[in-house]
Structures are given as C-alpha cells and as structure tokens.
C-alpha cells in the first residue's frame, strides 16, 4: 500500500486568505483564539488512527502558543513552517519574504526546539511569478517545499507544473518540491485532490477516487492537507461574500467523519517519511526539547 502524506496548516480561523481581507493583523490578538482546541482535535484523530503527520505551523501561532507546538512534537509529529504573518508570497518583495520566513523559523525554534526544514506558503502562493522564493527558502535552510498546487485557480496554482515530487535547482542550491495532490484530466489539465476544501465541499468518494488513481495508476503518494479550523463548525464566521463563505464554512460538520474515513481507507505518514529527513534539533537553550541527542 502506498504511504501518502497528510499535512495540517496550523493557523487560526481568522488567517485564511478568504477571511484575512476582513481582519487586520493588528486585530488578531484581540480575537478569541481557537487554534489550541482545534489542533488538539486533530492530534486526537491522528492518535486514534496511529498516524503521524506534518504540521506546517504559522510563526505567529508558534509565538502565541509555544506549548501547542511543543505538544505536536511530543506526540511524534513533524513540524514545518507556514510563514509568520500568512501574507501571500507573490505580494511580498524578496527581502520581505526573507524577513517573514526568518521570523517564522525563529518563533518555531523557540517554541519547540526544532528548526523546520519544510515550508508551505500561505494559500499556495508560490506561483510562476514568485518562483524566486525557492532560492530564499534554500538560503534559510529549507530542504523541502510544499507550496505549489499544479492547478488553475483564481488565486494560486501552476497549471502544468507536474504532479510528482522533484528536486528543483536554484542558484543557491537544491530543494525538493512536493506538489499538492492532483489528478490529470483528459486534455492534461490538473484537477485538485489534496485540499481540505474539496473534502468538505464534495462527496467523500471524490477525494478517495483521486487518491486511489494517484496511488494505483501512477504508483505515487498523494500529498493531502487540511486546517484545524475545518473541524470547528462553532468558529465565528468572519468571511463575507458568498464565494468566500462557501469556500471557508461549507461542510464543516461533515469533516470529522470524512477525515475518519480517509485515515481508515488509506495509509498516511509525514512528508519527511516519504521524501527524506528534514528537521534538526536546535542546540540553543529555550523551548522544549532543546538538547541535541
Ligand atoms: Zn494557511
């Protein structure tokens, strides 16, 4: 059985791009936090299925809830980086991107004593116009990136990028790119499989058939992701406009059951278990588990 990748983007319900347009970053601290109980729900779900996953943590969340990141590590999972402020990469200058990434790495190191080696951009915002970001990720110590969605979408995606993980060479060195799972449609276009939104919005069999196709026909692992807020129907609904509200809040109640089925029907593990080791322990003091073995 092919081992697939399960990943979780750890952020608050007010961080998704569909919501953040209505909430300024300086208001974040005044909003009620829900990320701890939501992520605990994910940790319990993974424990029930004896699954280890890769948790791409927002630096801002690591700063506010360091003990949560330490718990993710102590329960045997992997921690990656999901930027500090959840700004879209293609909206930043290279120097702003570098600064945000370094700030996130530091916050995660301080929270759990691990230097993240895998990166996931907010809203898959590494696109053709922000491919320069990969070189900066290499310079910041990243060995893996999982920020490219090989589909056409109004906000993100590189159609035609290819569905398989591969090593990309930047002027500063190599990085392994692990695209989000897609299947090829007639005519060659990619159809999305990997996202929590598709699991929420479409019948379970859509996602299951997609993974089966990738595993059996291509013999490849599928890289899947979802967010802790996708398991929380009680969250404040801050997104406005029917498209944003549909994308963000539809199907929240069905999500725990669908994830349960997904974790029963397929085998899942961390990104590093499939594509090579990535995390280093930080020798510096501060944070849990900081000593080098
Ligand atoms: Zn995100």
């Amino acid at each position: 059985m092919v081992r697939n990748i399960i990943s979780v983007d750890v952020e608050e319900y007010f961080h998704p791009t569909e919501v953040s347009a209505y909430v300024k970053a300086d208001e974040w601290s005044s909003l009620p936090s829900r990320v701890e109980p939501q992520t605990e729900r994910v940790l319990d779900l993974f424990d029930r299925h004896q699954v280890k996953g890769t948790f791409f943590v927002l630096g801002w969340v690591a700063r506010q809830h360091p003990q949560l990141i330490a718990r993710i590590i102590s329960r045997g999972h992997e921690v990656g980086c999901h930027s500090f402020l959840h700004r879209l990469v293609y909206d930043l200058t290279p120097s702003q991107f570098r600064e945000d990434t370094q700030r996130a790495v530091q916050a995660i190191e301080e929270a759990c004593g691990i230097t993240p080696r895998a990166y996931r951009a907010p809203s898959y915002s590494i696109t053709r116009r922000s491919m320069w970001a990969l070189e900066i990720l290499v310079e910041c110590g990243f060995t893996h990136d999982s920020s490219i969605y090989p589909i056409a979408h109004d906000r993100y995606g590189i159609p035609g990028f290819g569905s398989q993980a591969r090593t990309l060479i930047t002027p500063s060195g190599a990085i392994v790119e692990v695209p989000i799972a897609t299947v090829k449609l007639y005519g060659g276009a990619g159809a999305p499989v990997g996202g929590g939104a598709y699991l929420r919005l479409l019948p379970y069999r859509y996602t299951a058939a997609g993974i089966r196709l990738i595993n059996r026909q291509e013999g490849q692992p599928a890289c899947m992701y979802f967010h802790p807020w996708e398991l929380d129907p009680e969250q404040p609904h801050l997104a406005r406009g029917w498209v944003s509200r549909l994308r963000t809040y539809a199907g929240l109640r069905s999500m725990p059951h669908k994830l349960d089925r997904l974790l029963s029907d397929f085998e899942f593990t961390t990104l590093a278990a499939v594509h090579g080791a990535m995390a280093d322990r930080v020798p510096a003091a501060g944070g849990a588990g900081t000593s080098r073995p």
Side-chain angles (χ1 to χ4, degrees):
M1 205 179 194
V2 177
R3 286 195 307 167
N4 299 288
I5 298 163
I6 190 84
S7 63
V8 184
D9 294 354
V10 181
E11 61 193 35
E12 290 278 10
Y13 62 93
F14 45 81
H15 287 136
T17 304
E18 303 288 355
V19 180
S20 62
Y22 309 106
V23 188
K24 292 196 196 81
D26 57 12
E27 294 172 273
W28 290 354
S29 309
S30 61
L31 293 168
S33 169
R34 299 178 76 86
V35 72
E36 289 217 34
Q38 291 169 348
T39 306
E40 290 290 347
R41 225 171 278 171
V42 176
L43 291 170
D44 290 346
L45 177 76
F46 282 7
D47 276 357
R48 278 204 301 283
H49 291 273
Q50 297 179 306
V51 164
K52 305 294 182 215
T54 299
F55 289 68
F56 291 97
V57 173
L58 196 69
W60 187 86
V61 169
R63 176 90 18 109
Q64 302 284 322
H65 305 273
Q67 66 290 353
L68 174 66
I69 316 309
R71 277 206 300 282
I72 293 170
I73 292 289
S74 71
R75 287 169 78 162
H77 303 287
E78 217 150 30
V79 164
C81 176
H82 190 42
S83 87
F84 192 86
L85 281 178
H86 212 269
R87 293 177 297 179
L88 302 175
V89 177
Y90 50 70
D91 286 346
L92 301 178
T93 65
S95 67
Q96 286 173 326
F97 176 69
R98 185 190 306 273
E99 191 223 357
D100 179 88
T101 305
Q102 287 170 339
R103 204 173 161 203
V105 167
Q106 194 187 348
I108 292 166
E109 286 178 349
E110 285 171 8
C112 68
I114 299 280
T115 302
R117 296 297 182 201
Y119 185 85
R120 170 158 298 149
S123 295
Y124 301 92
S125 53
I126 295 186
T127 64
R128 288 212 192 280
R129 61 187 165 121
S130 49
M131 288 295 272
W132 48 260
L134 295 173
E135 182 183 351
I136 295 171
L137 290 175
V138 173
E139 290 164 8
C140 291
F142 287 93
T143 57
H144 292 68
D145 177 67
S146 182
S147 305
I148 292 179
Y149 213 145
I151 55 166
H153 183 276
D154 58 357
R155 229 184 21 243
Y156 54 76
I158 304 184
F161 179 82
S163 57
Q164 297 187 9
R166 62 183 189 268
T167 303
L168 301 176
I169 308 298
T170 79
S172 296
I175 191 162
V176 178
E177 179 60 43
V178 183
I180 305 306
T182 54
V183 289
K184 207 168 272 172
L185 299 176
Y186 297 107
V193 172
Y198 305 103
L199 193 58
R200 274 189 289 122
L201 297 171
L202 301 173
Y204 171 78
R205 62 178 183 276
Y206 172 88
T207 300
I211 299 176
R212 242 174 245 129
L213 210 62
I214 294 164
N215 289 172
R216 288 183 192 166
Q217 288 188 359
E218 299 178 22
Q220 293 293 320
C223 180
M224 311 296 290
Y225 75 90
F226 65 97
H227 305 85
W229 55 260
E230 289 183 284
L231 290 159
D232 179 15
E234 314 302 328
Q235 66 187 287
H237 289 197
L238 301 176
R240 289 173 222 161
W242 72 270
V243 174
S244 290
R245 290 180 75 86
L246 179 78
R247 279 181 180 170
T248 315
Y249 306 126
L252 293 173
R253 286 188 194 282
S254 68
M255 197 60 169
H257 173 65
K258 284 174 169 175
L259 276 170
D260 239 343
R261 269 187 87 176
L262 194 72
L263 296 176
S264 303
D265 290 352
F266 297 93
E267 204 165 310
F268 287 101
T269 185
T270 62
L271 189 143
V274 174
H275 293 293
M278 63 187 198
D280 282 348
R281 286 206 167 263
V282 181
T290 50
S291 61
R292 208 179 263 279

